[in-house]
Amino acid sequence: MHEHEHNDVNAMSQRRFFTVTILNSLITLIEFLGGIFSGSLSLLSDAFHNFADSASVVGSYYAHRISQRPQNQLNTFGYKRAQIISAFLNSLFLVIISVVLIVEGVQKLFKPEQINGNLMLIVAVVSTVANLVSTLLLSRGSKHNLNIRATYLHLLSDTLASLGVILGGILIKLFDWVLVDPIITIIVALYISAEAYPIIKKTVKILMQGSPTVDCYAIQKDMMNIEGITGVHHVHIWSVDENSIVFSAHINMQDMLISEAEKIYDPVAKLLHDKYGIEHVTLQAEVERGKKEDLYLDSRNDID
């Protein structure tokens, strides 16, 4: 992506974050009032969820802004992980909220309360429309950005929750099935937790410097096919964020001038970028040193 296109996407994301924040704040207020006056737990739970979403969107927006800062002496890899941290916290918060809603829903199953189905239905319809608009606004960027995806997931779950509240309002209005209210709350909470877990798992892996899904033995084989390289060992590979892979390795080469060795670096970097999507490559040239070492050095003190 060219720099001007990247800037356009960032500007568009910021505008959408702002619009979604305003929409969610209005939805939260409406649902709080509607839940209190109708007596609907699912509507109140959706209001709490929307409140969390509003905070999530604001946090995601600032994390998005921070991630655009350039590299400096304090953060030599830049600030890209601000979005990973935001995605992790948002998803974790979703799970915590879901647990609270499940507990409340179970309690309501044993102590059902009278609910105003008409008011519950009206508020749910308004909330569904607003949530759907917010979801569509962020859907485009959710596939390639964990931060936006976590926020998008918040909004999608809200839309589904609102649809569930509509169904509950209809059933309460027609058949006076008040138990459907906590049942829908529990179902939506379980769905939210199931969707949030993969994001938590992926963000934790990135924050723990876990290796991305790349076959390093295939990389070693390809690098060995480059003229001048006689060995590859002591490999490290990790992700700064979900789109930026970093690779370092020690490579054995024939004894030569540094100016000659530099001519081998460019083909390696091009290979790793074009075939494996690796953006940042660091190579340490050696002749015989470490030639018999494995691809991954097994040493407790190995952090370089």
Side-chain angles (χ1 to χ4, degrees):
M1 183 181 289
H2 296 294
E3 185 175 352
H4 70 276
E5 292 175 335
H6 183 69
N7 291 334
D8 288 344
V9 170
N10 287 332
M12 184 181 297
S13 297
Q14 291 174 16
R15 289 195 298 270
R16 289 178 177 179
F17 271 130
F18 178 76
T19 303
V20 168
T21 301
I22 298 300
L23 279 173
N24 269 266
S25 299
L26 291 174
I27 296 169
T28 301
L29 179 60
I30 292 171
E31 286 191 330
F32 264 126
L33 294 175
I36 291 171
F37 288 109
S38 69
S40 169
L41 173 64
S42 59
L43 204 53
L44 275 175
S45 67
D46 204 25
F48 278 110
H49 193 184
N50 270 305
F51 177 76
D53 286 346
S54 297
S56 167
V57 172
V58 172
S60 297
Y61 169 75
Y62 280 108
H64 183 79
R65 290 284 300 272
I66 292 171
S67 70
Q68 307 306 315
R69 293 178 182 176
Q71 301 171 1
N72 55 39
Q73 62 180 357
L74 296 177
N75 291 76
T76 56
F77 275 110
Y79 293 81
K80 293 181 179 180
R81 281 198 173 169
Q83 297 200 78
I84 301 299
I85 295 172
S86 175
F88 169 74
L89 293 176
N90 283 339
S91 300
L92 183 62
F93 195 34
L94 271 174
V95 173
I96 294 172
I97 290 174
S98 297
V99 172
V100 173
L101 295 181
I102 290 171
V103 172
E104 288 293 322
V106 171
Q107 290 177 351
K108 290 292 183 180
L109 284 175
F110 294 99
K111 293 182 179 180
E113 298 178 358
Q114 192 60 39
I115 297 171
N116 185 332
N118 288 329
L119 180 58
M120 175 182 172
L121 189 59
I122 293 170
V123 174
V125 169
V126 174
S127 175
T128 300
V129 173
N131 276 319
L132 184 59
V133 172
S134 296
T135 302
L136 292 174
L137 283 173
L138 290 186
S139 62
R140 181 180 176 184
S142 65
K143 295 180 181 179
H144 307 291
N145 186 299
L146 280 175
N147 182 37
I148 296 178
R149 176 159 179 74
T151 307
Y152 167 77
L153 180 57
H154 271 277
L155 301 173
L156 177 61
S157 62
D158 269 345
T159 304
L160 294 176
S162 297
L163 289 172
V165 175
I166 290 176
L167 176 61
I170 293 173
L171 293 176
I172 291 171
K173 180 177 172 58
L174 294 179
F175 307 106
D176 198 28
W177 291 351
V178 292
L179 283 178
V180 75
D181 185 55
I183 289 173
I184 289 173
T185 300
I186 293 171
I187 291 173
V188 171
L190 289 172
Y191 170 78
I192 293 169
S193 297
E195 289 294 309
Y197 175 73
I199 297 179
I200 293 176
K201 184 178 179 181
K202 189 169 184 178
T203 52
V204 167
K205 182 178 180 180
I206 292 173
L207 293 172
M208 289 295 294
Q209 302 284 75
S211 299
T213 308
V214 177
D215 187 347
C216 286
Y217 287 99
I219 291 178
Q220 181 187 39
K221 183 178 178 181
D222 287 338
M223 288 177 64
M224 291 287 287
N225 289 329
I226 295 176
E227 185 177 357
I229 295 180
T230 60
V232 179
H233 61 279
H234 204 159
V235 165
H236 291 281
I237 184 167
W238 69 98
S239 299
V240 177
D241 61 14
E242 73 271 30
N243 299 314
S244 303
I245 301 176
V246 179
F247 176 89
S248 70
H250 294 204
I251 57 174
N252 297 104
M253 300 188 299
Q254 300 167 1
D255 198 357
M256 62 181 74
L257 296 173
I258 295 176
S259 57
E260 292 298 317
E262 287 181 347
K263 296 177 182 178
I264 297 176
Y265 287 176
D266 288 340
V268 172
K270 187 176 189 306
L271 164 71
L272 296 178
H273 180 272
D274 294 348
K275 187 171 182 178
Y276 298 99
I278 296 173
E279 292 188 358
H280 186 89
V281 179
T282 301
L283 302 173
Q284 178 172 315
E286 299 171 338
V287 180
E288 296 296 332
R289 181 174 179 265
K291 198 168 186 178
K292 294 183 179 180
E293 290 179 359
D294 293 330
L295 188 65
Y296 305 106
L297 180 62
D298 183 15
S299 171
R300 293 181 181 180
N301 298 320
D302 177 34
I303 57 173
D304 57 347

